[in-house]
Amino acid sequence: TRKEPVEEAKRRQHVLQRLSNITKAWIRTIMITEYRMPATEAEQVESRIFSTGSYRYNVHSSGSDIDLVLIAPDKVTSRHFFTTLVERLRGESWIKNIIPTEDAIVPIIAMECDGIDIDLSFGSVKRDRIPEKLDDDLIRGLDDSAMRSCNAVRVAQLVIDLVPDINTFRQALRFVKAWAKARGIYSSKFGFPTGIGWAILTAFAC
């Protein structure tokens, strides 16, 4: 895999910050317009965007996409996600090729942000402010779609927290992913593990 140039790494970080700013402003708008919440209270309602997959583990390569999960308070719904957020994203000149896929097992908005492919999924939880780490209580009782999105974040956190040496894990996972792809055993369509499966197996070995 090609190592990511410094300039590309900076562009990824910039894209994530801009997306975070957009979603926070979008949620404040929902709170004020739909729930008639005073602006000062709406400021306190916060979402959070989490990365998952290879970007979260820092084993991504140049040109790879980023899997993201937007977790929001339960006043914000998947209907909002696929209507008003999509409209807002389409108003941004630096975001192109927006494809909402609402009927997938994990519904996502796929898009290209400043040349970087992003897959953004969504989950809402019963909190007005989303913590930096998700615990079991936070995701208990969610519907299937929200559970899948939130659990992807939770599993990534657990893997990183449980491996004894994160640098060894990253080096090993880079090798394992490249090895699996080269041998055609990196695909759930054919019954093989995908990224999260190989990450868990590598973490277990570590």
Side-chain angles (χ1 to χ4, degrees):
T1 57
R2 291 184 300 141
K3 190 174 180 180
E4 182 181 50
V6 173
E7 186 59 38
E8 185 178 341
K10 288 180 179 178
R11 193 164 82 252
R12 286 178 187 271
Q13 293 168 5
H14 187 53
V15 162
L16 295 182
Q17 185 58 58
R18 292 178 80 178
L19 284 174
S20 179
N21 292 341
I22 287 171
T23 55
K24 286 178 180 178
W26 163 70
I27 284 176
R28 284 196 292 272
T29 300
I30 291 173
M31 295 301 108
I32 293 169
T33 58
E34 291 199 23
Y35 294 99
R36 300 294 186 266
M37 191 178 285
T40 52
E41 289 183 29
E43 289 283 342
Q44 303 304 311
V45 180
E46 286 193 354
S47 63
R48 193 179 293 272
I49 290 180
F50 296 88
S51 59
T52 63
S54 60
Y55 189 77
R56 179 63 180 270
Y57 299 127
N58 195 19
V59 296
H60 60 287
S61 57
S62 178
S64 63
D65 63 359
I66 306 179
D67 295 316
L68 300 176
V69 181
L70 169 62
I71 300 181
D74 60 358
K75 287 185 175 68
V76 183
T77 67
S78 59
R79 178 183 62 82
H80 293 119
F81 182 73
F82 283 106
T83 55
T84 56
L85 179 58
V86 169
E87 289 171 11
R88 191 161 193 139
L89 293 170
R90 282 178 172 152
E92 298 287 334
S93 60
W94 60 283
I95 301 178
K96 301 176 181 178
N97 303 325
I98 299 171
I99 304 173
T101 309
E102 197 168 352
D103 57 354
I105 294 175
V106 179
I108 64 167
I109 300 172
M111 53 191 158
E112 182 184 324
C113 301
D114 195 16
I116 295 169
D117 291 329
I118 301 285
D119 285 344
L120 179 65
S121 62
F122 175 78
S124 59
V125 298
K126 295 178 180 178
R127 295 274 182 90
D128 282 344
R129 298 175 72 90
I130 309 304
E132 290 186 8
K133 287 196 173 185
L134 306 187
D135 55 35
D136 291 349
D137 290 338
L138 191 70
I139 65 174
R140 191 171 285 119
L142 300 181
D143 62 49
D144 288 346
S145 177
M147 175 65 79
R148 290 189 188 98
S149 294
C150 293
N151 200 47
V153 177
R154 176 177 164 275
V155 169
Q157 287 175 182
L158 285 171
V159 167
I160 291 170
D161 290 344
L162 289 171
V163 293
D165 186 321
I166 189 64
N167 290 324
T168 298
F169 166 73
R170 285 174 177 151
Q171 186 175 2
L173 184 56
R174 281 182 183 276
F175 172 83
V176 167
K177 282 164 65 77
W179 169 83
K181 287 177 180 178
R183 283 156 180 77
I185 54 173
Y186 191 101
S187 172
S188 59
K189 291 180 182 178
F190 300 106
F192 297 111
T194 53
I196 184 59
W198 287 115
I200 291 171
L201 288 167
T202 304
F204 181 78
C206 286

